[in-house]
Amino acid sequence: WDAVLRLARRAHDAACNMPAVGLDVAITPEGPVLVEGNTTFDVDGLQAPEPGPLGCSALVTTLSAHLRALVR
C-alpha cells in the first residue's frame, strides 16, 4: 500500500496544475503501475462511500481554492 501511495503522490505532483485528477493504479506482482490519469472523474462513484453530498465535503473547498489560485 505504501508503494501505491508513493506512486499516486508522484503522479499528483506531476499534474499539480490540475484541480483534480482521477488516477487508475493497477497492483501487479512487480508492484503498482499507473494506468492513466483522468481530468474528469465519476462523481457518483466518489459520492457512494461518503456519508453525505460531495457539495458538503472538503472537495468543494479544495477545488475552489485551487481554481482561485489559478485565476490570480
Side-chain angles (χ1 to χ4, degrees), residues 22-54:
L23 299 173
D24 294 341
V25 177
I27 300 173
T28 72
E30 291 78 31
V33 175
L34 181 63
V35 176
E36 66 180 353
N38 300 290
T39 57
T40 58
F41 45 90
D42 178 16
V43 293
D44 292 333
L46 277 176
Q47 189 156 302
E50 291 295 318
L54 283 176

Side-chain angles (χ1 to χ4, degrees):
W1 185 248
D2 289 336
V4 171
L5 292 177
R6 281 193 303 275
L7 176 62
R9 288 181 179 128
R10 283 195 348 253
H12 178 268
D13 289 345
C16 63
N17 62 333
M18 301 170 75
V21 180
L23 299 173
D24 294 341
V25 177
I27 300 173
T28 72
E30 291 78 31
V33 175
L34 181 63
V35 176
E36 66 180 353
N38 300 290
T39 57
T40 58
F41 45 90
D42 178 16
V43 293
D44 292 333
L46 277 176
Q47 189 156 302
E50 291 295 318
L54 283 176
C56 297
S57 72
L59 179 64
V60 173
T61 305
T62 303
L63 288 175
S64 294
H66 186 80
L67 292 172
R68 274 196 232 75
L70 286 176
V71 172
R72 291 183 192 147

